[in-house]
Amino acid sequence: MIQQRFIELGEGYSDIYELLELMSTNFHRIYRAYIFSSKHDSKEQLSLAVSFSPATENNHFMPIYICREGIRYSADKPSKRYDLFVKHAESLNKKPVRVEIKHSSEFAENELFYQYITGILRLNHLLPPLN
């Protein structure tokens, strides 16, 4: 059975560059790129994430690297980090999927937040089934 787990890199300030490097060095394993949008105090915050296929056929671990809620977004003034992520993903032929979610502050623990996102991704066929 495949195990899908979120690995938090940080909040996306400088961690975004680590996520971009992971994408570059593992471009052949990228399953999908995601932009998670949530509202907190009436402000939109973005989380950027990338899921990778298992490293080998015998490996059943599917990591999902995420920079959680560190990017404030406004249509009037788009974030340079957001633009950088989208352009980099598209250069690797992976158009990011935008998903509206609840903010992590609505959950008692981060683990519950990540279970919630995993459920949304599975329901929308954005992650493979567990098999």
Side-chain angles (χ1 to χ4, degrees):
M1 181 158 82
I2 194 165
Q3 178 188 7
Q4 299 156 337
R5 190 179 69 186
F6 279 87
I7 300 171
E8 191 170 315
L9 297 175
E11 296 181 349
Y13 295 103
S14 61
D15 310 300
I16 182 85
Y17 298 103
E18 185 65 25
L19 183 61
L20 297 178
E21 185 63 24
L22 283 168
M23 292 168 70
S24 294
T25 57
N26 294 287
F27 67 91
H28 58 285
R29 289 183 49 214
I30 295 175
Y31 184 78
R32 197 164 268 136
Y34 311 93
I35 299 168
F36 300 116
S37 172
S38 61
K39 297 266 188 201
H40 186 64
D41 295 333
S42 73
K43 294 181 180 156
E44 186 175 7
Q45 291 184 317
L46 303 179
S47 299
L48 307 177
V50 179
S51 58
F52 292 92
S53 298
T56 64
E57 285 183 30
N58 297 329
N59 184 355
H60 302 288
F61 176 64
M62 181 178 202
I64 307 164
Y65 291 93
I66 187 167
C67 295
R68 183 173 53 95
E69 299 167 345
I71 299 174
R72 296 194 194 279
Y73 184 80
S74 167
D76 299 337
K77 186 180 175 191
S79 165
K80 288 185 169 89
R81 288 173 286 160
Y82 166 81
D83 291 339
L84 187 63
F85 177 76
V86 170
K87 287 178 184 172
H88 191 65
E90 289 176 348
S91 76
L92 299 170
N93 295 318
K94 297 292 180 181
K95 184 174 170 53
V97 177
R98 191 176 179 103
V99 181
E100 303 254 342
I101 60 171
K102 293 180 183 179
H103 194 269
S104 66
S105 63
E106 295 186 39
F107 297 86
E109 299 175 15
N110 284 344
E111 189 62 34
L112 295 173
F113 173 66
Y114 290 130
Q115 289 174 3
Y116 157 74
I117 296 175
T118 302
I120 288 174
L121 295 177
R122 284 193 195 131
L123 282 171
N124 289 288
H125 306 285
L126 298 173
L127 280 178
L130 293 176
N131 292 23

